[in-house]
Amino acid sequence: MNTEELAARLSKAVAERTAIEPLTDDHPDLDLEAGYAVQRILREQAGELAGWKLGVTSRAKQAQVGVSAPVCGFLPAAGALDLGEPLSAGELIQPRAEPEIVFVLGRDLHGAHVTAVDVLSATSGLAVGIEVLDSRFRDYRFTMADVVADNTSASRYVVGAPVPPAGIDVRLVGVVLEKNGEVVATASGAASLGHPAAAVAWLVRRLAASGEGLHAGDVVLSGGLTAATPVVPGDVVTVSIDRLGTVEMPVS
């Protein structure tokens, strides 16, 4: 298996804005670790990074796809949208939006035994986030190894103004996803691995296995809290989270 060739295949799909078939169609032996090897190549080519993101943080979703842990990807700085900046749907293949609780790190955090409590103590701010997924695989058909190789479908993201975490129980905050003024889905923070900080702690432990960690200033998208909703030009996506605020993203 040539991981460089597989990474090039994904990069070509992004550049040409054309969906491809899953890598596992040609390489059924592609497993999660090989998927992460492909992702590392893409990360090396991505330029400046803003932080990390988590996927498959729902226990129900994990059971559905046959895994027992989340997956993670990286956030290129170039993928950030400013507040009020429209998402250009024409730059993407099949965009979908989902709500996220975002952690902003106030200090470095690393180690194989980091807990949710450690994450909360290292967090300088919590924020509302909208992640825009854009799988490079046709019709979002993929295995877990495929989606890891594809950087967990990462493309664009919006992060609201962070608020101090003191006194906020992120398990219990209510989350509302709206599209064009209509409520699409609701959830609570506990939808991400029972506690979003536990999801971030899992990420830190995962990074520790390769000698990496989180750094002060990193942003971490702690996992989608509802199913992702497809977006097209003319749509407006709004995410509101108790105690954290509201973020709106127009689509052009």
Side-chain angles (χ1 to χ4, degrees):
M1 188 187 307
N2 186 332
T3 53
E4 294 277 357
E5 188 275 329
L6 297 181
R9 195 183 300 185
L10 289 164
S11 295
K12 185 172 185 285
V14 172
E16 297 182 353
R17 301 169 193 166
T18 302
I20 60 175
E21 300 305 323
L23 304 179
T24 49
D25 279 7
D26 295 334
H27 298 279
D29 55 338
L30 183 77
D31 60 14
L32 277 178
E33 288 310 309
Y36 278 115
V38 174
Q39 186 189 119
R40 278 192 294 274
I41 294 168
L42 297 175
R43 176 154 54 113
E44 291 166 359
Q45 299 169 350
E48 182 184 355
L49 302 183
W52 299 86
K53 57 157 291 188
L54 286 133
V56 198
T57 51
S58 159
R59 295 293 193 193
K61 183 66 173 178
Q62 289 175 11
Q64 180 184 345
V65 299
V67 298
S68 58
V71 293
C72 61
F74 61 89
L75 295 176
L81 298 174
D82 203 354
L83 293 176
E85 179 182 355
L87 170 72
S88 179
E91 295 177 355
L92 306 176
I93 301 169
Q94 46 192 349
R96 299 180 180 182
E98 64 182 19
E100 303 260 352
I101 292 174
V102 183
F103 287 70
V104 180
L105 271 291
R107 59 175 173 81
D108 292 359
L109 188 61
H110 56 84
H113 305 288
V114 164
T115 66
V117 172
D118 297 324
V119 169
L120 291 170
S121 69
T123 297
S124 62
L126 298 168
V128 179
I130 300 175
E131 182 181 11
V132 180
L133 303 175
D134 189 37
S135 176
R136 271 53 74 168
F137 302 121
R138 188 168 287 110
D139 299 322
Y140 278 76
R141 181 177 71 87
F142 47 67
T143 69
M144 292 308 300
D146 287 309
V147 75
V148 165
D150 189 30
N151 193 27
T152 62
S153 304
S155 68
R156 306 287 190 270
Y157 53 95
V158 186
V159 177
V163 301
I168 300 176
D169 188 340
V170 288
R171 296 173 306 152
L172 303 180
V173 294
V175 180
V176 179
L177 171 65
E178 297 174 88
K179 184 166 71 172
N180 304 328
E182 298 291 332
V183 174
V184 175
T186 61
S188 70
S192 179
L193 216 63
H195 196 304
V200 179
W202 176 89
L203 169 66
V204 177
R205 296 192 298 269
R206 165 81 201 187
L207 292 174
S210 54
E212 299 180 279
L214 301 181
H215 301 286
D218 279 355
V219 298
V220 180
L221 306 187
S222 61
L225 298 169
T226 71
T229 185
V231 294
V232 297
D235 285 342
V236 177
V237 175
T238 306
V239 171
S240 301
I241 302 180
D242 288 345
R243 309 283 302 275
L244 304 188
T246 297
V247 166
E248 185 175 279
M249 181 187 72
V251 185
S252 64

